[in-house]
């Protein structure tokens, strides 16, 4: 099918403008900008625009535009994972408290998710539950959107409070565990490069370990011989990022894992990390990543959830996700020595799943681990938990005061 450039550029201009408006509307209501883009995906998807104006939906997201927009979305996702890895604190401070909060935020939500996937499989799957499917649901329940968390803390002027440092470190730990679990779930059943899950994992993590060791041993010695121009560094990081995405995709671990690993290497070098943040953030976060959110959420037909069974499932999963995260993080915080108010604040913050949860759900849908109705259910849970985080924390701050956190 020949590409209609007029239609493509027209649709792209409309989508970029709508995404910018959605981000600003979210900020006006003191919500994270990403929530506006997620809700825009709901509006433009089959649930609303596709139902009310099929022609408008097809013009923006259908026909020959679909593969082109999908390509932009994938580039945005790969660059997002690179930036996430580069900006992640891989050696978090506040170790004991962060580990306590992170452990509680992993164990209880994951147990709740695995229990629901095992005993109510019809809510998530089209067939009998499998280990990878159960692991995927548990992973969605455990992840935390670190960028959303940081934005909420900044908006409420809490970044200098002890709870902020502990919670951001705990979110990093939970997300690293989540990405590892996602790689395992996506890789199961795929022969990949070596023909076995164990071989694929050994290959990828062996290469990553080798790169990290060489980086540690040789970086200082090789730095004088490496290109120092930002443009050259930019090209090198781009090539490494897409090569890593290709490697992990072919190994069956999904393309998002490779760029995250490249980001982990980049995070060790402040100058290189600054180049990545400066060069990638604009195009990735304003043009490309919104395409991923719009298209991914737009794949979720939320009408599949608007049934007696679907609404019951939404209520139960939402309660399990929220209670598991808040209670789990609170318990971990208290055992690590944090106060009641700090523990509750950490639990509220850690319940925002945002873009990270959406990436995990998208991988599950693409891998056939989630049924369409299960994907729609989890998208709603991700959006609602993200929506609740900011007002819930604001209420908590008004009740106890900033000094209590």
């Amino acid at each position: 099918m020949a590409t209609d450039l007029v239609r493509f550029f027209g649709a792209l201009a409309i989508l970029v403008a709508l995404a910018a408006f959605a981000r600003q509307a979210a900020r006006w209501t003191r919500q994270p900008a990403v929530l506006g883009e997620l809700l825009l995906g709901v509006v433009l998807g089959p649930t609303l625009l596709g139902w009310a104006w099929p022609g408008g939906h097809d013009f923006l997201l259908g026909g020959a535009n679909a593969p082109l927009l999908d390509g932009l979305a994938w580039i945005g996702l790969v660059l997002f994972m690179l930036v996430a890895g580069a900006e992640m604190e891989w050696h978090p401070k506040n170790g004991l408290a962060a580990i306590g909060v992170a452990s509680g935020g992993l164990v209880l939500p994951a147990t709740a998710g695995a229990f629901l996937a095992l005993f109510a499989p019809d809510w998530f799957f089209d067939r009998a539950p499998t280990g990878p499917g159960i692991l995927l649901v548990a992973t969605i329940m455990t992840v935390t959107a670190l960028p959303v968390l940081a934005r909420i803390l900044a908006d409420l002027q809490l970044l200098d409070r002890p709870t902020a440092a502990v919670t951001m470190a705990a979110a990093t730990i939970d997300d690293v565990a989540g990405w590892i679990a996602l790689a395992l779930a996506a890789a199961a059943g795929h022969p990949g490069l070596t023909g076995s899950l164990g071989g694929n994992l050994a290959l990828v993590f062996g290469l990553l370990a080798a790169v990290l060791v060489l980086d540690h041993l040789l970086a200082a010695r090789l730095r004088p011989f490496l290109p120092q121009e930002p443009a050259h560094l930019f090209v090198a990081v781009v090539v490494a990022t897409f090569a890593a995405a290709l490697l992990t995709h072919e190994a069956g671990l999904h393309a998002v894992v490779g760029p995250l690993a490249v980001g982990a290497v980049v995070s060790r070098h402040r100058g290189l990390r600054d180049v990545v943040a400066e060069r990638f953030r604009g195009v990735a976060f304003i043009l490309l990543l919104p395409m991923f959110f719009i298209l991914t959420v737009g794949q979720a037909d939320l009408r599949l959830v608007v049934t007696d069974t679907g609404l019951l499932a939404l209520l139960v999963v939402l309660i399990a996700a929220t209670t598991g995260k808040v209670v789990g993080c609170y318990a971990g915080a208290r055992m690590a020595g944090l106060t009641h108010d700090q523990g509750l604040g950490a639990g509220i913050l850690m319940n925002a799943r945002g873009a990270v949860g959406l990436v995990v759900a998208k991988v599950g849908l693409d891998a056939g681990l989630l049924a369409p109705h299960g994907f729609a259910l989890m998208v709603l849970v991700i959006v609602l938990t993200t929506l609740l985080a900011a007002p819930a924390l604001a209420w908590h701050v008004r009740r106890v005061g900033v000094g209590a956190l």
Side-chain angles (χ1 to χ4, degrees), residues 17-37:
L18 288 175
F21 175 78
R23 288 193 297 273
Q24 188 58 50
R27 294 188 184 103
W28 286 334
T29 57
R30 301 188 66 82
Q31 289 285 353
V34 67
L35 183 64
E37 295 171 339

Side-chain angles (χ1 to χ4, degrees), residues 1 13 31 82 86 96 105 111 120 127 129 132-133 136 144 160 174 187 201 233 254 262 270 278 297 379:
M1 182 184 297
Q31 289 285 353
L82 168 68
L96 180 61
T111 302
R127 55 184 182 272
L136 184 94
T144 295
D160 60 340
D174 279 6
L201 291 173
L233 292 173
H254 204 276
V262 174
R270 182 176 299 275
E278 177 185 351
V297 178
V379 165

Side-chain angles (χ1 to χ4, degrees), residues 365-381:
L365 180 68
D366 289 346
L369 299 176
L370 283 178
H373 66 274
F375 175 69
L377 169 65
M378 297 315 290
V379 165
L380 271 176
V381 170

